[in-house]
Amino acid sequence: MAGNWKMFKTIAETTQFIVDFLPLVAGVTHADIVIAPPFTAVADAARKTAGSSVAVAAQDLHWEKQGAFTGEVSAAMLAEAGARYVIIGHSERRHIFGETDDQVFQKTRAALGAGLTPIVCVGELLAEREAGATNQVLARQFGGSVGGLTLQEFTAIIIAYEPVWAIGTGKVATPEIAAEAHRFIRSEASAKFGKDTANALRILYGGSVKPDNVRGLMAQPEIDGTLVGGASLDAKSFAAIVNF
Ligand code: PEP
């Protein structure tokens, strides 16, 4: 169960969240819990969650190890700061910052090279769904973003299905719609990496997940977890999602 904080929370606000959140999820063993604060709070969040059931993710990274890339952060820098996961190819990166499937692929390999677990996001726009092109888009993003990984690399990633029309809009996909997309992604994984690998792949659903809709989503066997934006900013709300 992962929370993507986007560009919200200072270090002080992150600290307060952790103080409030840790007691609410103490002893949780049914799920891995991840929070993804902004870069500036990653190191502090990692220190303050050390030894707890909560791990820290970054929200992006650059694929090169170092270089003249003003404003960018490498996988090794994130790992050193204490991140264990990194979100890659979020729709806001793809659509606001023009990130391509190939960049997502390179970032995923860089993250794996530094021992981070990538959470690779895919998902269709509303117009693509309405045009009946959802599977085509998912196949293209899957192929371009993770299809070129080795089998060993692929076994170490998590995929998040995030239909763009459901992100930050309050329009959650029905559990059936989400499960159908997850099934399709798993079938792509099976075709490329084999049935066992596909069955073991964790696919998270993201898009307006809230405490009152998480149970229905998690009741779908195809849905292995959730990637939560807005509702992960409040400790009680995210704890309610984790403890669905
Ligand atoms: C997200 O940012 O990945 C997300 C799913 O946002 P929200 O839960 O706010 O729709």
Side-chain angles (χ1 to χ4, degrees), residues 138-139 142-143 146-147 149-151 154-155 157 159 181-203 222:
L138 294 178
F142 180 92
V146 297
L149 296 175
T150 64
L151 176 60
F154 188 81
T155 58
I157 72 163
I159 290 184
H182 284 219
R183 246 188 314 278
F184 179 76
I185 293 166
R186 216 178 286 285
S187 73
E188 291 293 289
S190 180
K192 179 84 199 172
F193 297 102
K195 202 160 184 267
D196 292 347
T197 304
N199 285 340
L201 171 68
R202 287 188 288 179
I203 307 179
E222 271 296 341

Side-chain angles (χ1 to χ4, degrees), residues 10 13 32 53 81 97 107 142 148 166 170 188 199 203 237:
T10 61
E13 289 164 343
D32 293 333
S53 54
F97 301 101
K107 288 179 178 196
F142 180 92
E188 291 293 289
N199 285 340
I203 307 179
S237 155

Side-chain angles (χ1 to χ4, degrees), residues 199-239:
N199 285 340
L201 171 68
R202 287 188 288 179
I203 307 179
L204 313 182
Y205 166 78
S208 297
V209 175
K210 308 284 178 217
D212 63 1
N213 60 29
V214 64
R215 281 180 86 102
L217 291 160
M218 290 303 295
Q220 295 286 334
E222 271 296 341
I223 300 179
D224 302 308
T226 59
L227 178 54
V228 186
S232 73
L233 290 168
D234 175 77
K236 276 196 190 129
S237 155
F238 191 42

Side-chain angles (χ1 to χ4, degrees), residues 155-173:
T155 58
I157 72 163
I158 294 171
I159 290 184
Y161 167 62
E162 297 211 306
V164 181
W165 46 271
I167 297 179
T169 60
K171 281 188 213 156
V172 63

